[in-house]
Amino acid sequence: MHSVSKVHFAILIIAIIVAGISQGMLLPVLAIFLEKMGVSSTLNGLNAAVLYIGSFGMTLVAERLLGVLGFKKLMLGGLLLVLITLPLFPLYPSIIFWFVLRLLVGVGDSAVHYSAQLWVLMMTPSEHRGRNLSIYGMSYGIGFSIGPLGIKLLDWGVYAPFLLLAGLFLIVVILVIWKLPHGTPEKTATDEPAQRRFTKSYSWAWYALIPAFLYGYMEAAMNSNFPVYGLRVGFSTSDIAFLLPFIGIGGLILQLPLGILSDRYGRKKMLMICGGLGGLLFLFVPMAETNMIAIAAIFALAGGLIGSFFSLGLAYAADMLPKVYLPAANVLASFHFNAGSIIGPALGGKGIEMGSPASLFWVLGGCYMIFAATGFIFKEKSK
């Protein structure tokens, strides 16, 4: 496969921004609809989780589908699935039907993510891999941040946000059909079974795959558990709404510089530094008590350092693994991210319930510092 051209890379970035907008918009907009329909908060949360179940299910078959369809067709399939599904939400406002629709959106978004991410990973030269994957990750963050603005479109009617988003997906579909080439991942010379590729990817690059889990854990735990922590230590709901975005803002600011630094000084070194410093900063949060400025600064710095974990870890795995193993490594990274997203809120919530609210940050900080220390025992193997 040839290296990715600027035009092709730009289209992949546009696709991932739109996928980020869809996830960032659907979560709050549908939560508002369900609240107005009188649905309990527990059932509302479960309805939101279905999207991630769909995403998780897609990762289980993604590698096989990619081998059959190729990058372009798999991405188009995901885009069209979301495009068709979006207008159905306001047409049929039923919680059971929305379970199915969210599941389909999760499958579609995951197909777009998997194909676009792996396409960038496999077509980018190693000397620019950190930079390009950081731009990719930053683009999703931008889309996810723009998504909640869809709430304002509800003033124009319940159909407005869904139709606008469907229009954006249609534009991306046209760009992908018109400009992107067909491509498939390289085949293994020995035609190894999938289980062996997964096993070898783990044995050679296990350290590079842990960051995906830790990133998913942090993102989900902070979004789900920090509001509980904040209320218990004395923050108002408006204070919490003000503080949470600083984690994402820090990630947007530092992700590209850290990716470029990893190209120059090494992926493992940057992951260890970011993990150690990020973990230390999280441990400082309880000490700041209710000091808004201090916590905002800590969140921005910690979020900036940890915000690059998924892309840096994936780039590091690509440095160590043969290209034929990258589809398997990409599946493992997505699997880890989804597992972290599910475990994070459950573990954080249990810790707050059984012990101290500060346990949320003690566990979070400890995990990142242990990860940084583990780097000293991990030895890279040549391809």
Side-chain angles (χ1 to χ4, degrees):
M1 293 179 68
H2 301 293
S3 61
V4 63
S5 74
K6 290 181 179 178
V7 173
H8 298 158
F9 183 64
I11 293 172
L12 294 175
I13 292 302
I14 292 169
I16 212 59
I17 289 174
V18 173
I21 291 173
S22 77
Q23 292 193 15
M25 190 200 81
L26 285 177
L27 289 171
V29 168
L30 294 181
I32 290 170
F33 280 177
L34 290 172
E35 179 67 21
K36 289 181 177 179
M37 288 162 61
V39 173
S40 71
S41 57
T42 301
L43 201 55
N44 198 328
L46 285 172
N47 195 270
V50 171
L51 188 143
Y52 295 101
I53 294 172
S55 177
F56 183 81
M58 180 63 198
T59 62
L60 300 178
V61 297
E63 188 194 19
R64 184 171 295 178
L65 282 175
L66 181 67
V68 174
L69 299 174
F71 291 105
K72 183 172 179 174
K73 288 181 181 177
L74 181 59
M75 181 182 290
L76 273 176
L79 290 167
L80 289 170
L81 183 59
V82 179
L83 172 61
I84 294 166
T85 303
L86 284 171
L88 299 178
F89 280 100
L91 278 176
Y92 303 100
S94 157
I95 186 168
I96 296 173
F97 190 55
W98 281 6
F99 263 84
V100 177
L101 294 183
R102 287 220 215 200
L103 191 75
L104 294 175
V105 170
V107 170
D109 275 345
S110 182
V112 175
H113 273 292
Y114 181 79
S115 51
Q117 187 173 268
L118 188 58
W119 212 342
V120 171
L121 189 68
M122 296 187 76
M123 293 196 294
T124 300
S126 59
E127 63 270 19
H128 298 309
R129 192 173 283 144
R131 180 197 67 186
N132 282 7
L133 277 175
S134 294
I135 293 171
Y136 177 92
M138 190 169 63
S139 301
Y140 174 76
I142 291 170
F144 196 83
S145 302
I146 293 171
L149 296 176
I151 294 171
K152 296 183 181 296
L153 295 172
L154 291 172
D155 295 338
W156 297 79
V158 294
Y159 292 96
F162 299 98
L163 292 178
L164 179 63
L165 189 54
L168 291 175
F169 269 89
L170 181 60
I171 291 169
V172 177
V173 166
I174 293 168
L175 286 173
V176 170
I177 293 173
W178 183 33
K179 284 291 186 181
L180 285 187
H182 290 280
T184 54
E186 295 179 12
K187 303 292 183 183
T188 55
T190 56
D191 197 25
E192 287 180 298
Q195 185 179 353
R196 184 180 290 271
R197 293 197 300 277
F198 285 119
T199 303
K200 284 189 176 181
S201 295
Y202 257 127
S203 65
W204 291 346
W206 58 267
Y207 188 73
L209 295 169
I210 293 174
F213 174 86
L214 291 176
Y215 178 74
Y217 181 100
M218 183 274 292
E219 187 182 67
M222 288 302 297
N223 285 332
S224 302
N225 301 139
F226 178 70
V228 178
Y229 169 89
L231 290 172
R232 295 200 179 185
V233 301
F235 285 124
S236 68
T237 52
S238 59
D239 293 336
I240 294 165
F242 170 76
L243 288 169
L244 266 179
F246 278 92
I247 293 176
I249 291 168
L252 290 175
I253 293 171
L254 289 184
Q255 187 154 149
L256 182 56
L258 288 173
I260 294 170
L261 286 172
S262 76
D263 286 333
R264 182 172 299 178
Y265 298 109
R267 237 73 74 181
K268 179 182 174 184
K269 188 179 293 183
M270 293 310 301
L271 282 168
M272 290 174 67
I273 291 170
C274 290
L277 292 178
L280 193 62
L281 285 164
F282 278 128
L283 294 178
F284 286 153
V285 172
M287 300 178 197
E289 297 180 334
T290 54
N291 187 319
M292 293 278 288
I293 296 174
I295 292 183
I298 291 171
F299 277 10
L301 284 171
L305 292 165
I306 303 304
S308 60
F309 249 49
F310 189 97
S311 56
L312 278 185
L314 202 54
Y316 187 32
D319 292 341
M320 290 183 284
L321 295 172
K323 271 195 174 184
V324 291
Y325 284 11
L326 293 188
N330 208 48
V331 168
L332 291 171
S334 298
F335 180 85
H336 281 188
F337 174 80
N338 286 316
S341 298
I342 294 167
I343 292 170
L347 191 59
K350 197 67 176 176
I352 292 172
E353 182 185 327
M354 295 183 65
S356 160
S359 65
L360 170 66
F361 294 102
W362 295 341
V363 175
L364 200 57
C367 285
Y368 280 104
M369 296 190 77
I370 290 170
F371 168 78
T374 306
F376 289 107
I377 65 172
F378 176 70
K379 303 298 180 186
E380 298 177 17
K381 294 180 180 179
S382 60
K383 291 187 180 182

